[in-house]
Amino acid sequence: MRASATAAQLAEAREARASYRAGTVVPTSGVAHGLVQANLIAVPADWAFETLLFAQRNPKPMPVLEVLEAGRVESRLAPGSDVRTDIPAYRIWRDGELAEETADASAAWVEHPDLVSFLIGCSFTFEAGLVDAGIPIRHREAGRNVPMYRTSTACASAGRLGGELVVSMRPIPAGRVADAVGISGRYPAVHGAPVHVGDPSSLGIADLDAPDFGDPPALQDGDVPVFWACGVTPQAAIMASRPPFAVTHAPGHMFVTDVPDAEFLR
Amino acid sequence: MRASATAAQLAEAREARASYRAGTVVPTSGVAHGLVQANLIAVPADWAFETLLFAQRNPKPMPVLEVLEAGRVESRLAPGSDVRTDIPAYRIWRDGELAEETADASAAWVEHPDLVSFLIGCSFTFEAGLVDAGIPIRHREAGRNVPMYRTSTACASAGRLGGELVVSMRPIPAGRVADAVGISGRYPAVHGAPVHVGDPSSLGIADLDAPDFGDPPALQDGDVPVFWACGVTPQAAIMASRPPFAVTHAPGHMFVTDVPDAEFLR
């Protein structure tokens, strides 16, 4: 480890996970500032190779932080954690359809003991870098979840898994766009630099005010919409590819780890 | 693509592959200067997830450039290529033992039609950067293969696959070591910066003159031994983990692609 979390950060992360385990359902943007948060996708073992290959071929939306093989539920990124319960909200998918949203996914592991879990980097990590540089995070200021959009950009497929890129959007004051690009680019393990700046229509996004996931954006005068590859991309792949079963986090409701963001700086 | 290969580079790469396909067996260091070369490991489909996971957990020795799913033998990195024949020399592994070395691995794909092939970045790529900076490549000057060593450093295991790190070594004039670190560090997709500089014994290497793969080194006065993570690492994992069957390139005899090294610059 190149950096250490402070005792206060660790205490906040552990309290957050304990609270989610006990049933609290809240978005995690801003929780345990400076510690990495992760997206989850868990699939039956039969789909694990294609999921990992899909990630390898699409590293910007799916930077793999950790893989928990079948039978493992404790993340090395958070000792004592349990990925079945420590995320505030889960989605259960059957044949590509959203079957259920739940605060406790334990039953999914009972039904499918061979689930392989993938923790994927999350843009909330570089948000800390943006905040530290004085760049406003509009959805936090507005007390909202970050807006996320399905795009018309195809990911590289892997066997049975394919689908379109999902992006998150942050309105950035025009004079700080270059800084936001530079800062997020230093975190390639958490989506890195934006995939797109400024023109929603060329990503196939018809209406910025109607995101596919999360809350509507809170643009201010002089803001430019900036789009980053998003860890919800595997959920779009589930919808498009229809694996028989999958578990994911609910968008914006992440797995909070004990690992400092600085671990993933380059 | 951010960079284009020249017509002369492409002609050299294609002639080299055609020559290897016809049976020529030679090390590939220095061939098609400026184009990426790759290590090969091919395993039955049942071992594909663990192999990809082993790579994900050990990105310095195993930076994955491409995965060819079962049934695919043409690399996207070299249109018209055939990974069964276009490498100068292959190794066939049975139960972790080297069973055969051959110039044509077609029979392996007949025996195991479900082989999944992994092309892994090779340090020959950043050698081009060292050469361009005027840093001598001693094994090339001496007309030898690069020396490679098994070390006492354990890789992170993945299911049934584990083993020790293998390193390649280049003697670098002491005054150019920092430059060699900086230049190779710009190529994270091909092993990146050295894992070790100067002291073979702390890697568990008893005798620099007796490499486990390749040829003995050609150190000159004032040279320091510099060690990079090596794409032969999966071969050490095969020896340690004993999958029933595997195909690899023979050390130093790589897959020559059509892709410019600059594609992998960061």
Side-chain angles (χ1 to χ4, degrees), chain B residues 124-195:
Chain B
F124 291 170
T125 298
F126 64 68
E127 282 186 0
L130 301 180
V131 167
D132 291 345
I135 297 174
I137 307 291
R138 299 299 189 205
H139 64 270
R140 288 198 202 175
E141 293 174 348
R144 298 182 189 173
N145 196 347
V146 66
M148 292 161 271
Y149 305 85
R150 300 177 71 169
T151 72
S152 55
T153 301
C155 292
S157 62
R160 294 168 290 180
L161 262 187
E164 270 78 43
L165 176 70
V166 175
V167 294
S168 64
M169 192 280 283
R170 288 163 190 77
I172 304 286
R176 304 303 308 272
V177 168
D179 294 333
V181 169
I183 291 165
S184 58
R186 295 178 62 211
Y187 293 92
V190 287
H191 306 310
V195 291

Side-chain angles (χ1 to χ4, degrees), chain B residues 192-217:
Chain B
V195 291
H196 200 92
V197 177
D199 178 18
S201 66
S202 67
L203 282 171
I205 299 170
D207 183 358
L208 263 194
D209 289 325
D212 296 292
F213 310 96
D215 292 326

Side-chain angles (χ1 to χ4, degrees), chain A residues 41-46 48 67-71 109 113-118, chain B residues 49:
Chain A
I41 174 172
V43 294
D46 172 41
V67 180
L68 285 72
E69 292 105 320
W109 268 261
D114 69 335
L115 285 176
V116 177
S117 304
F118 299 81
Chain B
F49 173 63

Side-chain angles (χ1 to χ4, degrees), chain B residues 225-257:
Chain B
V226 179
F227 300 89
W228 278 268
C230 179
V232 173
T233 299
Q235 300 190 30
I238 289 168
M239 294 182 220
S241 310
R242 302 184 163 272
F245 192 79
V247 181
T248 68
H249 71 292
H253 300 71
M254 317 304 294
F255 181 69
V256 178
T257 77

Side-chain angles (χ1 to χ4, degrees), chain A residues 164-218:
Chain A
E164 270 78 42
L165 176 69
V166 175
V167 294
S168 64
M169 192 281 283
R170 288 164 190 77
I172 304 287
R176 303 305 306 273
V177 169
D179 295 333
V181 169
I183 291 165
S184 58
R186 295 178 63 210
Y187 293 92
V190 286
H191 307 308
V195 292
H196 199 93
V197 177
D199 178 18
S201 67
S202 66
L203 282 171
I205 299 171
D207 183 359
L208 264 191
D209 288 325
D212 297 292
F213 310 96
D215 292 325

